[in-house]
Amino acid sequence: MIRIILAEDQAMVRGALVTLLGLEGDIEVVGEAASGPEAVAVARKTEPDVALLDVEMPGGDGITAAEEIRRVLPGCRVVILTTFGRPGYLRRAMEAGAAAFLVKDSPARELAAAVRRVRAGERVIDPGLAAAALSAGPNPLSGRERDVLAAAADGSTIADIAARLHLSEGTVRNYLSSAIGKTRTRNRVEAVRHAQAQGWL
């Protein structure tokens, strides 16, 4: 049996996926989670062969959870599921050690096949997303620029961002200015939206 955990914040979607995968004779769902941190905790407890993680969840995204799961359970293979085919998500997922990246509207049989393939050591990537990621190019933002933009996403002031990230206000302004330039936008609100749309944050 291939032992898997499933992390998805929408209970109805999670339940449907658990039911569908439970119909497969060689796949057993051994744990469920509704957030990134919960997924890591469930993975530690159950030690699954494969972790299916939604890319967008509260309290930490699936990519961050993937990194942590791969760190504590190197033998666990990670499949990232997404509703949004953002090129930056694919690159970040691969950097985090994910073995597969699939869109949620794929047929259930494709998801089950992907689980089997990653368990066998293969890498599975939605072809449309792969093409989009190649054409979009790499993420131009540095790690610190991403941190500052992400902190600005909720409308925080420069002072709030500086305090949260332990930076000076001048440094925050510099990172925001640089991010605005790299995203070719007019202000930080547009820069945040553009970076989110590309999956860079």
Side-chain angles (χ1 to χ4, degrees):
M1 292 290 282
I2 302 171
R3 302 171 73 255
I4 70 169
I5 64 165
L6 177 64
E8 160 65 59
D9 60 317
Q10 295 179 30
M12 192 176 291
V13 175
R14 186 172 68 248
L17 288 170
V18 167
T19 300
L20 288 168
L21 290 167
L23 297 174
E24 302 293 326
D26 59 342
I27 295 174
E28 179 187 7
V29 179
V30 296
E32 299 176 41
S35 70
E38 190 182 350
V40 175
V42 170
R44 283 177 183 270
K45 183 179 175 183
T46 60
E47 298 188 3
D49 301 310
V50 178
L52 301 180
L53 309 175
D54 183 19
V55 77
E56 291 186 338
M57 292 184 288
D61 62 34
I63 295 172
T64 304
E67 264 182 322
E68 182 65 11
I69 288 171
R70 293 283 297 151
R71 188 182 68 76
V72 298
L73 296 168
C76 180
R77 307 281 282 166
V78 174
V79 176
I80 297 288
L81 301 173
T82 182
T83 304
F84 310 104
R86 295 174 180 158
Y89 280 164
L90 173 56
R91 287 182 177 275
R92 286 175 52 215
M94 294 301 106
E95 289 166 5
F101 195 91
L102 303 168
V103 289
K104 285 185 193 172
D105 60 5
S106 302
R109 67 179 178 279
E110 286 186 19
L111 179 56
V115 166
R116 294 181 186 103
R117 288 174 63 190
V118 299
R119 182 69 181 97
E122 294 181 47
R123 184 167 268 187
V124 183
I125 299 170
D126 180 273
L129 288 177
L134 287 172
S135 64
N139 180 351
L141 301 173
S142 71
R144 261 316 194 188
E145 288 163 352
R146 286 198 304 268
D147 292 342
V148 170
L149 266 190
D154 63 1
S156 293
T157 65
I158 298 288
D160 290 338
I161 296 168
R164 198 180 319 161
L165 299 180
H166 309 290
L167 299 170
S168 73
E169 291 184 28
T171 300
V172 169
R173 284 191 188 90
N174 288 341
Y175 280 130
L176 284 173
S177 177
S178 177
I180 290 165
K182 287 180 178 179
T183 54
R184 297 179 182 174
T185 53
R186 294 174 297 179
N187 54 53
R188 65 176 173 160
V189 174
E190 287 185 7
V192 167
R193 282 191 195 133
H194 181 76
Q196 287 175 332
Q198 293 298 317
W200 294 339
L201 295 183

